Amino acid sequence: MIEREKKREKLVAQYAVKRAALKAIINDQSKPVEERFKATMQLAKLPRNSSAVRLHNRCQLTGRPHAYYRKLKISRIALRNLGSNGEIPGMVKSSW
């Protein structure tokens, strides 16, 4: 799953400029309807995974999609394991 997500990220970056240009044409009300429809069809022909909406945040260590910390780019479980092993400076697992 991690590799699949990396592949999507690469496709999004590759087609970002083209998608933005086509969306600008589609949203421009001053353009003729035929031209906007043609741009819509070209946008539909692009790969689905080139859309930024299809990206999903995943843990970089485990690939887990839930409980993801954006700042650290890892899941809560991976964070807990790294903290318990002392691999994150200043982080100590609480115990009482």
Side-chain angles (χ1 to χ4, degrees):
M1 291 304 289
I2 296 171
E3 293 302 316
R4 192 179 297 173
E5 198 65 31
K6 287 180 185 176
K7 184 179 174 184
R8 282 189 190 122
E9 288 173 5
K10 194 186 329 176
L11 273 174
V12 168
Q14 181 181 348
Y15 286 96
V17 175
K18 190 170 188 177
R19 290 183 80 84
L22 288 172
K23 285 185 177 187
I25 293 171
I26 292 167
N27 293 328
D28 188 4
Q29 296 294 323
S30 64
K31 302 259 186 200
V33 176
E34 296 83 19
E35 186 178 343
R36 289 173 32 214
F37 181 74
K38 186 178 176 183
T40 305
M41 298 310 290
Q42 288 176 343
L43 185 66
K45 286 183 182 176
L46 294 179
R48 284 188 178 175
N49 283 335
S50 67
S51 174
V53 173
R54 291 177 70 96
L55 290 177
H56 198 283
N57 291 330
R58 289 187 172 273
C59 175
Q60 296 207 337
L61 301 176
T62 61
R64 181 181 165 86
H66 300 291
Y68 173 85
Y69 288 99
R70 289 181 186 170
K71 198 170 191 177
L72 302 171
K73 297 189 177 184
I74 57 175
S75 69
R76 65 177 175 84
I77 297 169
L79 178 67
R80 185 172 189 269
N81 289 338
L82 291 174
S84 295
N85 296 338
E87 297 176 15
I88 299 179
M91 184 172 198
V92 180
K93 182 177 174 280
S94 68
S95 58
W96 59 89

